[in-house]
Amino acid sequence: MSSSTKNPATRTPTDAILESISDGVFTVDLEWRVTSFNRAAEEITGVPRSEAIGRLCSEVFRSSLCGDNCPLQDTLASGRPRIGTCGYIITAQGERIPISVSTAVFRDENGQVMGGAETFRDLSEIDALKRELEGRYHVGELFSRSPRMHKLFSMLPAIAASPSTVLLTGETGTGKELFARTIHSLSAHAGGPFIAVNCAALPDTLLESELFGVKAGAYTGANRDRLGRFAQARGGTIFLDEIGEISPALQVRLLRVLQERTFEPLGSSRTESTDARVIVATNRNLAELIRAGDFREDLYYRINVIRLELPPLRERKDDLPLLVEQFIRRLNRIQGRTVTGISTEALSLLMAHDWPGNIRELENCIERAFVLCGEGRIDIDHLPDELTLLAPRGHFGEGRAMHDMLDRQAIHAALERNDFNRLAAARELGIHKTTLFRRMKRLGMALPERDGRSSPKE
């Protein structure tokens, strides 16, 4: 009889403790059948104890961590516990609940392995609180703790409610398109399309047909009518990025659209109208372009009705941890991985960088580190060389040197204890074998001549 189904009068103190705690606890035998299931496990999963015991754990505990990601399977294979692995379960009622899982080997009084034990904690309240706290820092898909950004956030609802043209300025990679999408999502045009056009990506002849459309026969190869972006954006928003790159001739046509809300497709004599909300963006100084004769002053005044200047990432570095967490969470969701975060040292190195490419550069950096990390936390070894090699020498100071020395000692000791079996040493250190190789390379450690592959610990 399982301890969880004993008569209350015969329960041991351990049984009473397991029944009183708020964490779900269950055990499995070596055939992966549930042998005990406490009260909290019943409440969290929605599965009665009587139905759980004797069934395969994957049938009872339907989790994102089942299969190849199973932490309990890893514990039984390695003998090492797993602590605080995050995932989710699907309850008997079909509800998705975020959880934190810890595992251990389950042994009898003689020390023989009987199976595995798993505890899991319902993180729903913590998750809700986290979303509530994040809500103070974001509008739509925009996240920030920066006072400068909060000032912009506070203006967005009023800007979204207005039909006026918006000019977004700022360096490349500061998130101008994301701002434009947020304005669109908050506006009365949210149910319509959001059409983005990069004006710098096309030569004038192609850009004109892209914006205004083409009638069949307008030029050689125009075999059919094609809608332009202004027509496609009816009832929605059109976003013209890099508007400072368009020629003066095309600026004249664009000015007419903004003034009269009308245009003619190439090859047509018939005027068409558009009600699309217009948002434009540039990373160039339009005032300087006007002085140089490269940008029309009347067009500048037409687009500069509402202007928002987005600060570069180097001026809002308090946002960096929030952005890193957001990128990791999104990559975990897309790739089905469980990277748990970023180490303090790696984050410190990110904070020391000036990010000339702004948020786009940071996102690319985190995606690269995410791929190399595999599991656990992103560390310095996973960051690009341009960050680690060009970091200020005094950034980590003596603390970094001490950390490297201790890291070398730990790796060397693990290799010796495992007869220079590299895979076994990596497992003992709790890292992947490729991570061990990268770390040894960074620390200037040569791989041992013998790798202990014949060792039974492999």
Side-chain angles (χ1 to χ4, degrees), residues 127-140 142-145 150 153 322 325-326 329:
D127 202 47
L129 178 60
K130 186 176 181 181
R131 287 196 299 270
E132 180 183 343
L133 290 172
E134 285 179 347
R136 302 174 189 176
Y137 302 127
H138 81 93
V139 175
L142 296 169
F143 288 77
S144 180
R145 289 190 175 98
H150 284 183
F153 286 2
L322 193 67
E325 182 182 349
Q326 179 190 4
R329 188 164 57 242

Side-chain angles (χ1 to χ4, degrees), residues 101-144:
V101 167
S102 298
T103 60
V105 173
F106 187 46
R107 302 177 186 272
D108 63 18
E109 58 272 13
N110 298 318
Q112 297 296 313
V113 175
M114 298 175 60
E118 181 163 312
T119 66
F120 56 100
R121 178 169 298 177
D122 184 350
L123 300 180
S124 298
E125 291 187 7
I126 296 174
D127 202 47
L129 178 60
K130 186 176 181 181
R131 287 196 299 270
E132 180 183 343
L133 290 172
E134 285 179 347
R136 302 174 189 176
Y137 302 127
H138 81 93
V139 175
E141 296 184 24
L142 296 169
F143 288 77
S144 180

Side-chain angles (χ1 to χ4, degrees), residues 345-367:
E345 286 188 340
L347 182 59
S348 180
L349 195 55
L350 297 184
M351 294 290 286
H353 187 54
D354 278 341
W355 301 105
N358 292 294
I359 297 172
R360 187 178 296 127
E361 181 187 1
L362 174 64
E363 185 173 11
N364 290 342
C365 171
I366 295 302
E367 184 169 358

Side-chain angles (χ1 to χ4, degrees), residues 364-382:
N364 290 342
C365 171
I366 295 302
E367 184 169 358
R368 175 191 184 278
F370 186 93
V371 171
L372 296 179
C373 175
E375 61 180 11
R377 292 190 306 170
I378 291 173
D379 208 344
I380 291 174
D381 296 338
H382 308 128

Side-chain angles (χ1 to χ4, degrees), residues 304-315:
N304 193 26
V305 180
I306 301 172
R307 179 176 177 175
L308 297 178
E309 183 174 358
L310 278 58
L313 185 55
R314 63 181 174 274
E315 295 179 9

Side-chain angles (χ1 to χ4, degrees), residues 61 63 65 85-89 97-101 120-123:
F61 194 69
S63 168
L65 301 174
T85 302
C86 292
Y88 64 85
I89 61 169
I97 294 181
I99 57 167
S100 172
V101 167
F120 56 100
R121 178 169 298 177
D122 184 350
L123 300 180

